Amino acid sequence: MTGEHYFTAQPSVGGRRRDVEFSAGGREYTLAAAAGVFSADRLDPGTAVLLRKAPLPAAGAAGPYLDLGCGYGPIACVLAMSAPHATVYAVDVNERARALAAENAARLGAGNLRTAAPEEVPDDVRFAEIWSNPPIRVGKAELHAMLDRWLPRLAPGGVAWLVVARHLGGDSLQRWLEERGHRVGRHASQKGYRILKVGGA
C-alpha cells in the first residue's frame, strides 16, 4: 500500500478478505478481516497481549466501553461478548474497518456493539473503560492529539488500557501521559509489549 496506511479513511487497496481466528476470555472467535485495515492477516500480537493481560469486563458490567482504533473489531467484539449488557463503541477513521467491525458484531450476535467514526460518538458519552492498540505509526503528534481527545472522556474512576510495543515508544508514551497529568502504571509486559493502565480509582 504505497503511500497509504490502515488509518486511511477510505482505503483504495483491494479488499482481499480472510478470516482471523483467535481465543479470548474463554471464547473462540472467527472474524472477517480485509486488506486495507490494521493487521488483516492475523490477530496483532499486541492486541493478543492486551486481551490476555488486561482484565476483561464482567458479564454484568454496565459500561459503556470504547475500542479506540478498532480495526476489524477484535477488541470491541471481545468486550461486547464479555459484557453483553454494556454498550461498546468501536471507533475508527477507516471506513472499511468500521464496516468489518459491524459485520463481525452481527456474525456474533453482539447487538450492543456500535461502530462509529470519531465525530459520530455523542459528546456526552463518558466511558467506564477505553481499550486501545493505538496507531503508533500515525506519528507522535497525531497519536498525542488522539489521546488528548479521548482520555478526558473517561468517567470518574474510569480506566484506559493501552498496549504499545516497547521498541515503538511504549516507555516514552508512559512518560508523556504522566507529564499530561494522568495516573499511569505498567500493568504488564509480555513479548516486547507494555500494557499501560491509565486512570482508575
Side-chain angles (χ1 to χ4, degrees):
M1 290 200 302
T2 304
E4 186 172 270
H5 302 275
Y6 58 83
F7 41 84
T8 297
Q10 295 178 307
S12 61
V13 66
R16 179 183 57 82
R17 293 170 62 93
R18 65 165 295 162
D19 281 346
V20 175
E21 298 179 354
F22 65 95
S23 60
R27 292 182 174 87
E28 300 295 323
Y29 292 85
T30 301
L31 303 185
V37 303
F38 175 63
S39 193
D41 292 327
R42 59 172 180 162
L43 184 68
D44 175 73
T47 296
V49 172
L50 179 62
L51 290 172
R52 186 162 54 244
K53 292 295 187 179
L56 294 173
Y65 298 100
L66 170 64
D67 175 5
L68 182 58
C70 66
Y72 59 88
I75 295 172
C77 285
V78 171
L79 295 176
M81 296 301 287
S82 299
H85 303 293
T87 299
V88 177
Y89 286 87
V91 170
D92 204 295
V93 298
N94 184 318
E95 190 177 85
R96 185 176 296 167
R98 298 195 302 271
L100 286 163
E103 177 185 331
N104 287 322
R107 181 188 287 196
L108 292 167
N112 57 326
L113 190 154
R114 300 181 186 177
T115 59
E119 65 275 9
E120 293 172 339
V121 179
D123 290 338
D124 60 345
V125 175
R126 294 295 177 267
F127 298 101
E129 294 184 11
I130 295 173
W131 289 60
S132 188
N133 183 346
I136 298 298
R137 296 184 191 280
V138 297
K140 192 170 289 187
E142 286 193 51
L143 174 66
H144 289 175
M146 184 181 79
L147 294 174
D148 272 340
R149 176 179 183 177
W150 292 99
L151 289 176
R153 296 188 63 173
L154 283 169
V159 173
W161 301 102
L162 310 177
V163 60
V164 186
R166 183 176 55 79
H167 76 280
L168 290 178
D171 294 342
S172 62
L173 180 62
Q174 179 174 350
R175 288 193 297 272
W176 177 81
L177 288 165
E178 290 169 344
E179 290 167 1
R180 301 294 284 172
H182 296 286
R183 180 189 306 171
V184 187
R186 188 178 300 164
H187 177 73
S189 297
Q190 188 176 52
K191 296 183 177 179
Y193 290 92
R194 306 286 199 223
I195 306 298
L196 302 181
K197 178 184 179 183
V198 184

